[in-house]
Amino acid sequence: MSKHCFMGLALAAMVTSAGAQGWTPQKNVELVVPNPPGGSNDKTARTVERILTANKLLSSTLSVVNKAGAGGTLAYLYVQQHAGDPHYLVVGGPALLTNHITGAAKLHHTDLTPIASLFDDYTAFAVSPGGALPNGKDLVAKLRQDPKSVTIGFSPLLGSHNHIAAGLLMKAAGGNVRDLKVVAYKGSADAVPNLMGGHIDMMTTAAGNVAGHVASGKLRVVAITAPQRLGGALSQVPTWKEQGMDVVFGAWRAIFAPKGLTPQQIAYWEGVLKKATEAPEWKDDIEKNYWANVFVSGERFGKELEQDYAGMKTVLVDLGLAR
């Protein structure tokens, strides 16, 4: 073999190796949101899109696509159908797990590729300022005495993490979680005006979804499921633990991809998302949206998903919603 042939083969091997290690998007990336615009998942996607674009962390374009319906399942199925294509991502939350537990969807979280959990989103228990629930202790007392007297709204469906948050409070209060009177809305944007209009007594939702209404005096939050108080407009809101109730519950927001990705493609997205969460703008959004900056990827994220699935199934069995 000539020297030139040997060099040619070596160069080809180097190019092949580099290509395997250095995958980058080759076309527009779709970041799918399983909810209507305005909710926590939508805020997550648009924050990611803005930071990736502003910091030029992508070699391609990225578009946010809202595919609401079936409690998020339409979006998850849409991404699942693009097996092996790393140009499709979806924002996932606990509904991805609870939908399977309740039988609302056949899709299991292992039918997608978990990339990374970006942050935790704690639940606020919001009421109308002029309503009959001035504080968390009065809410607990009413739930113990007559749970049917408190109509609780949340999104996106029965068995969702916001429903679980209400169930955890009821369990901590010593009541039967099946006695809760609940109403499920398609999105938090639908539940908020119903709370303001007095059609429901309380709603459980992401803290960031109601902070602006709290600041303007249109809503009040009686408790938060965080381990410690939040800042900003919610700085005066006590945690449930402060009020004697052992309820700490965060809803993670994560990015998933279809099955069939290569290790290099998974590593690419893990790296890009990690860089995004380290950007100054990300930290600003974390504070603005009342999120807890917790980045988890790889095998650890997979194990946490299994643990969360088991924990949520326990509560949903109590609620009578596990299939």
Side-chain angles (χ1 to χ4, degrees):
M1 181 179 291
S2 71
K3 182 179 179 181
H4 291 294
C5 287
F6 179 80
M7 290 178 61
L9 289 172
L11 180 60
M14 290 172 63
V15 170
T16 301
S17 176
Q21 294 177 2
W23 180 87
T24 57
Q26 302 301 307
K27 61 180 182 180
N28 180 63
V29 175
E30 286 191 23
L31 180 52
V32 185
V33 180
N35 307 90
S40 296
N41 286 334
D42 185 66
K43 289 177 184 177
T44 302
R46 296 186 189 280
T47 298
V48 169
E49 186 274 335
R50 177 168 49 79
I51 291 176
L52 291 181
T53 301
N55 291 277
K56 299 181 180 179
L57 297 175
L58 285 182
S59 58
S60 66
T61 56
L62 183 146
S63 55
V64 174
V65 180
N66 292 85
K67 285 189 177 294
T73 301
L74 290 183
Y76 298 134
L77 288 175
Y78 173 74
V79 172
Q80 183 198 27
Q81 290 164 0
H82 291 87
D85 191 339
H87 298 90
Y88 291 86
L89 304 172
V90 62
V91 177
L96 177 59
L97 311 186
T98 58
N99 284 356
H100 184 265
I101 297 169
T102 62
K106 293 181 178 179
L107 184 136
H108 192 271
H109 65 271
T110 55
D111 293 325
L112 296 170
T113 298
I115 301 297
S117 179
L118 306 179
F119 60 86
D120 284 338
D121 197 5
Y122 293 106
T123 304
F125 285 63
V127 300
S128 171
L133 299 170
N135 54 58
K137 290 185 177 180
D138 284 334
L139 169 60
V140 171
K142 217 169 185 189
L143 288 176
R144 284 172 172 160
Q145 180 182 2
D146 183 11
K148 296 295 185 185
S149 67
V150 183
T151 303
I152 305 169
F154 49 74
S155 66
L157 76 172
L158 295 177
S160 66
H161 65 281
N162 287 319
H163 191 181
I164 288 175
L168 288 171
L169 176 63
M170 192 63 174
K171 284 189 71 172
N176 187 339
V177 295
R178 299 191 189 196
D179 290 338
L180 290 172
K181 183 180 179 181
V182 297
V183 180
Y185 294 89
K186 189 175 182 180
S188 59
D190 299 317
V192 167
N194 276 272
L195 178 59
M196 291 179 177
H199 303 293
I200 55 178
D201 301 302
M202 183 185 74
M203 70 177 288
T204 51
T205 187
N209 289 342
V210 292
H213 301 300
V214 171
S216 65
K218 295 178 180 178
L219 290 178
R220 189 160 41 80
V221 174
V222 297
I224 201 84
T225 62
Q228 61 266 330
R229 292 196 184 196
L230 303 178
L234 303 180
S235 61
Q236 299 304 308
V237 177
T239 66
W240 274 124
K241 295 205 78 171
E242 285 181 74
Q243 300 180 77
M245 307 302 291
D246 189 14
V247 180
V248 177
F249 179 65
W252 43 265
R253 306 293 171 180
I255 303 296
F256 292 79
K259 294 289 281 186
L261 268 61
T262 67
Q264 293 78 22
Q265 291 165 342
I266 295 172
Y268 171 83
W269 282 122
E270 286 180 352
V272 164
L273 292 170
K274 178 64 174 173
K275 289 179 182 177
T277 62
E278 292 170 347
E281 310 98 294
W282 177 266
K283 293 173 182 177
D284 290 342
D285 274 60
I286 283 286
E287 293 181 6
K288 181 176 70 176
N289 291 298
Y290 302 88
W291 297 335
N293 202 9
V294 182
F295 184 90
V296 182
S297 62
E299 185 178 347
R300 179 186 164 194
F301 181 34
K303 288 181 178 179
E304 289 190 1
L305 286 171
E306 294 299 328
Q307 292 170 355
D308 282 354
Y309 185 94
M312 289 181 182
K313 186 171 183 178
T314 298
V315 179
L316 290 169
V317 167
D318 290 341
L319 285 166
L321 293 173
R323 63 175 179 179

